[in-house]
Structure formats: C-alpha cells, structure tokens
Amino acid sequence: MGRPREHDETTRARLLRVAGALVEAEGVEGLSLRRLARRADTTTRAIYSLFESKEGLLAAMYHEMAAAMAAHHEAVPVSEDVTEELLALALAYRASALLHPTLYPLMVLKGGAPLPEDVALARRGFERVVETFARGVRAGVFRRGAESMGRQLFALVHGLTTCELAGMLGARPKRAWREAVSAMLRGFAA
C-alpha cells in the first residue's frame, strides 16, 4: 500500500490561482516556486509533488485555461442564426476568462511551454468560431474570409476581456460585450 497523497485538489487549485495572480502581476519571469509556496501558504514540496517543476506548473496553468475555453465554446449549440451563434461564442470566451481571471493572461503571454495537445485544446474555440463564420459565408450572411473574420473577432474579444478584467467596462460589461460584438458582426454582413 502506497503512501497517502499529501497534497490534494484544494492545494492544487490554490497553487494555480496564486501562480496565476503572480504571472498576471509580474509575468512568467516573476514566478518563483519559493515565492509561490509562501504566498499559497504551502511548501515547495507541495508544488513539486503536484506539478514536478516550474514548467509543469506553467503547463498545468495553460491546460486549465485551455480546457475552460474549449468547454465553454463547445457548450454553445450550433444555430441556424450564425450571428446569434457567434455572439454566444464570444460570450463563451468571456465566461471562461471570468472563470479563471488570473490564468487568462497565459493564453496570450509569451513564456512557459504549453504542451502541443494543450495548444490544440486552446485552439478548438477559435476553430469553432472560424467554422461558424464559414457557414455564414456559405449562407451569404458574411462577405469576407472566415479566417480573417475569426482573427478580427478574437482581437475584439481579447481586448474586451482585458478591459473587463481591469475593471474598465463600467457597471454593465456584458452589455458592452453584446454591443461591440453585434456591431462587428453587422459590419461583416454581406
């Protein structure tokens, strides 16, 4: 019979949250395992037990955010109305960022080395958006290229996310999201 596991999912979640706050504040280079252990009220042993290394910790942080992004995007049903579907996909992006606000910056910051399968996982949401735009192009709803519209929508939702997480979207951020995304989609209309 092996030794009982000393560090549980609660410790793991706390470490991910505190590490995310450190990365958000100071970038990947500001993340030291000793400092993380101190701030999370645990030991470096716990970090090594749960993640094996700093690279393992960063990979776990990226995976957590990528999985949330993929799950939220995949939960949006396919719709006959591609503009409503795209709005729902944009709001799914928002929901996943709000679920893990300290991990979100890892999706766009340089640093760390996410595993190829986690990069593919993170990319699934974008691929879903591009597929939806492609359906809209085939149906005559949009007149531009699906990939180009997908990149432009990503730039918008990333900007909205960054502003909302910084508290810059006012008292009704979801309304700001709806208005901005809807205006962009109207601009793409054929």
Side-chain angles (χ1 to χ4, degrees):
M1 184 171 179
R3 287 174 35 182
R5 188 156 183 110
E6 200 173 327
H7 309 291
D8 60 9
E9 281 304 307
T10 303
T11 303
R12 183 180 190 282
R14 185 172 67 250
L15 283 166
L16 289 172
R17 187 180 66 254
V18 174
L22 285 169
V23 169
E24 181 181 28
E26 300 175 28
V28 172
E29 61 282 347
L31 179 62
S32 103
L33 298 187
R34 277 202 174 98
R35 202 158 132 222
L36 171 60
R38 205 172 34 254
R39 292 229 178 138
D41 196 31
T42 190
T43 63
T44 54
R45 183 172 171 233
I47 297 168
Y48 285 108
S49 171
L50 291 165
F51 303 107
E52 297 181 10
S53 65
K54 180 177 177 178
E55 292 73 28
L57 171 65
L58 288 168
M61 293 166 69
Y62 188 95
H63 174 82
E64 190 89 10
M65 190 68 238
M69 285 279 180
H72 278 85
H73 281 88
E74 290 167 0
V76 174
V78 173
S79 171
E80 293 280 325
D81 185 340
V82 290
T83 38
E84 282 302 313
E85 185 177 339
L86 287 161
L87 177 59
L89 288 166
L91 293 174
Y93 187 97
R94 175 183 185 258
S96 58
L98 293 177
L99 181 65
H100 297 296
T102 61
L103 299 182
Y104 174 75
L106 280 179
M107 301 304 288
V108 292
L109 287 177
K110 293 204 182 285
L115 300 171
E117 57 267 25
D118 289 333
V119 173
L121 180 63
R123 195 156 164 77
R124 285 190 346 216
F126 179 73
E127 290 166 355
R128 169 73 190 284
V129 168
V130 171
E131 289 166 11
T132 306
F133 272 123
R135 285 193 351 260
V137 169
R138 287 191 301 274
V141 176
F142 302 118
R143 64 176 180 260
R144 296 185 178 132
E147 182 90 17
S148 174
M149 288 185 292
R151 281 194 305 275
Q152 290 174 55
L153 181 59
F154 170 75
L156 175 65
V157 298
H158 172 63
L160 288 167
T161 301
T162 302
C163 289
E164 183 171 1
L165 293 178
M168 298 168 52
L169 287 187
R172 297 171 63 180
K174 193 170 186 179
R175 180 178 180 180
W177 274 77
R178 287 182 176 282
E179 289 172 356
V181 172
S182 295
M184 177 176 265
L185 295 175
R186 281 192 304 274
F188 289 155

